[in-house]
Amino acid sequence: MAGKKRKALTYTLPEEFHVFGFSRDLLAWYDSQKRDLPWRINRDPYRVWVSEIMLQQTRVETVKPYYQNFMAKFPTVAALAEAPEEEVLKAWEGLGYYSRARNLQAAAREVQERYGGVIPDTPEEIATLKGIGPYTAGAILSIAYEKPEPAVDGNVMRVFSRLLYLTDDIAKPATRVKVEHLVRQVIPHGRAGDFNQALMELGALVCLPRTPQCLTCPVFDYCLARKEGVQDELPVKGKAKPPRLVRLQVAVVKRGDAVLINKRPEQGLLAGMWEFPMVETDADTRSLKQEALLQGLRKRFGVDVEVIEPLMELTHTFSHLQWHMEVWQCDWIEGDDLPPNARFATADELAGLAFPVAHQKILETIKSDR
DNA sequence: TACGCGTGGCC
DNA sequence: TGGCCAAGCGT
């Protein structure tokens, strides 16, 4: 037969779990202890949306200044939709996961065109927007529109793992689905937004990853892991692979008072960000490294240069990669027919373009050289 | 499902 | 110091 039959799974809360008391006590704690955060001034759906995208895998303290600046520059869906992409990326510079910025703007344009500038309030419609997955959909729907949808992030997975003594690996996608089913049964209608935020706030302030502060926990009485004394063993989480080493030769090519830069592809690592030209090579001698660099510059940029001297050596670690960069000072000799993704830029022009953190030290060095 | 995708802070 | 972690999503 064509197609598999999958049994519909239903996850039920433990008998002894007191749903009403739990949400009552958690909300009371949240009402008195919640942090004052810039995105909690009101429940404007656009403000909530931007904050949720920025907060993906990113700390609150890191997001704060970016959020203030972003909302000042792009205060409405329309403003974001109409802005040049370069300005949006510049506002995201240093925040990481740059596809979030590109997806956010693409979705803003979609909201303008398809929904007349109003962010949709149904799970089906909002989930079609780029960059809005299960968590962000639930967060916007509950916080901005008070819909009783779960918003399960890392905090909620950890809190529920302990609260209900769940031993599922929270690194596995199936576990998030399970926790969503459980959370859905606990959401108090009428306060869905506060409840979801309270779960996350509890994870951020009390139910910490390493050292849960059980003695000050407002829902201590309901926690099954605490009852068994296993709160320090939960949640269960599989380990990540170590980053792969990548050796790169980097060129700072000067032509007069301009330097050669390159805009990265629209997809993949550091998508759409600017950088100094780089060549990946395993070469282990000075001359072989320089040779690889010269060949790469000629082939990819149509430019001939002279290598002057080594400038610096840098290491930058991503989640999944480790870049070992050797940077060479070069002088342009010939070649004007640059590919569309490359250009020579002056210091003033560089200031308006978005570079990843991995290239910031090079940028600073060039600036101070003048 | 597993992996690619950034960065900075913490112990 | 280095591994872990942070309001995940797209493919």
Side-chain angles (χ1 to χ4, degrees):
Chain A
M1 89 182 233
K4 248 181 266 182
K5 200 159 221 175
R6 192 181 295 271
K7 189 173 183 181
L9 295 174
T10 56
Y11 303 102
T12 53
L13 294 162
E15 287 282 344
E16 65 270 34
F17 186 73
H18 195 308
V19 174
F20 177 77
F22 171 77
S23 50
R24 176 198 59 206
D25 292 354
L26 179 64
L27 280 171
W29 170 80
Y30 179 72
D31 287 339
S32 66
Q33 301 296 323
K34 70 180 174 193
R35 291 169 289 180
D36 264 325
L37 299 173
W39 42 92
R40 286 183 177 161
I41 293 173
N42 59 41
R43 294 184 168 219
D44 171 43
Y46 174 67
R47 291 181 60 87
V48 173
W49 180 18
V50 172
S51 75
E52 292 302 340
I53 300 299
M54 283 193 173
L55 286 162
Q56 288 170 6
Q57 302 286 205
T58 311
R59 296 182 129 74
V60 165
E61 289 308 312
T62 302
V63 167
K64 278 182 183 175
Y66 282 92
Y67 181 78
Q68 303 279 31
N69 178 57
F70 196 94
M71 295 310 299
K73 280 204 167 85
F74 316 109
T76 62
V77 173
L80 179 57
E82 293 162 9
E85 183 189 290
E86 195 65 48
E87 281 183 29
V88 178
L89 274 179
K90 186 66 184 174
W92 213 270
E93 184 183 56
L95 198 50
Y97 287 142
Y98 299 100
S99 291
R100 290 183 297 176
R102 303 159 52 75
N103 287 337
L104 177 60
Q105 190 182 31
R109 290 173 173 169
E110 175 83 2
V111 168
Q112 275 301 101
E113 290 166 17
R114 182 187 293 269
Y115 301 104
V118 180
I119 297 160
D121 67 349
T122 68
E124 295 75 19
E125 290 173 311
I126 204 168
T128 67
L129 298 173
K130 280 186 184 174
I132 299 188
Y135 162 76
T136 306
I140 298 173
L141 291 171
S142 62
I143 298 170
Y145 294 121
E146 204 50 63
K147 305 277 183 182
E149 294 289 327
V152 176
D153 72 335
N155 286 307
V156 178
M157 302 253 272
R158 182 173 62 256
V159 167
F160 262 63
S161 291
R162 289 174 177 154
L163 188 67
L164 302 181
Y165 197 163
L166 307 177
T167 57
D168 308 74
D169 182 351
I170 65 167
K172 294 191 178 303
T175 304
R176 196 208 75 240
V177 174
K178 174 173 177 174
V179 173
E180 281 173 349
H181 277 96
L182 294 167
V183 170
R184 196 179 283 280
Q185 302 170 48
V186 186
I187 299 175
H189 288 221
R191 294 205 65 186
D194 282 344
F195 180 77
N196 282 334
Q197 292 188 83
L199 282 178
M200 294 187 274
E201 198 83 342
L202 188 71
L205 300 181
V206 179
C207 197
L208 307 176
R210 311 260 196 171
T211 53
Q213 309 292 301
C214 299
L215 296 184
T216 61
C217 181
V219 289
F220 177 98
D221 290 342
Y222 307 92
C223 185
L224 302 185
R226 181 63 191 83
K227 276 197 175 76
E228 303 297 331
V230 297
Q231 67 275 13
D232 289 335
E233 321 301 323
L234 295 174
V236 174
K237 187 173 183 183
K239 285 177 185 168
K241 286 195 327 186
R244 175 173 63 89
L245 181 63
V246 178
R247 300 176 185 278
L248 296 161
Q249 307 305 317
V250 187
V252 174
V253 179
K254 291 203 175 177
R255 189 184 73 178
D257 59 354
V259 291
L260 180 60
I261 56 172
N262 166 53
K263 191 174 170 72
R264 294 179 61 92
E266 307 299 308
Q267 301 264 333
L269 182 65
L270 303 171
M273 302 292 281
W274 291 87
E275 66 179 5
F276 299 98
M278 304 194 294
V279 173
E280 183 179 353
T281 173
D282 290 328
D284 55 354
T285 70
R286 181 179 171 119
S287 62
L288 286 174
K289 289 169 183 172
Q290 292 190 2
E291 184 58 28
L293 190 53
L294 292 178
Q295 283 186 22
L297 289 172
R298 189 177 298 126
K299 182 174 177 185
R300 286 171 48 200
F301 300 96
V303 165
D304 280 316
V305 309
E306 176 192 6
V307 176
I308 306 299
E309 60 175 357
L311 252 187
M312 65 180 95
E313 216 165 308
L314 302 168
T315 294
H316 187 83
T317 305
F318 301 88
S319 316
H320 58 303
L321 295 177
Q322 183 159 41
W323 278 1
H324 283 191
M325 310 163 73
E326 294 181 67
V327 186
W328 304 85
Q329 176 76 53
C330 304
D331 263 354
W332 176 81
I333 297 175
E334 63 176 339
D336 287 291
D337 194 15
L338 298 176
N341 60 327
R343 56 183 277 204
F344 282 96
T346 64
D348 283 350
E349 293 169 330
L350 290 178
L353 304 176
F355 285 78
V357 169
H359 285 255
Q360 291 292 335
K361 280 205 174 64
I362 305 173
L363 224 37
E364 290 169 22
T365 301
I366 290 174
K367 213 180 299 175
S368 63
D369 269 2
R370 290 164 192 277

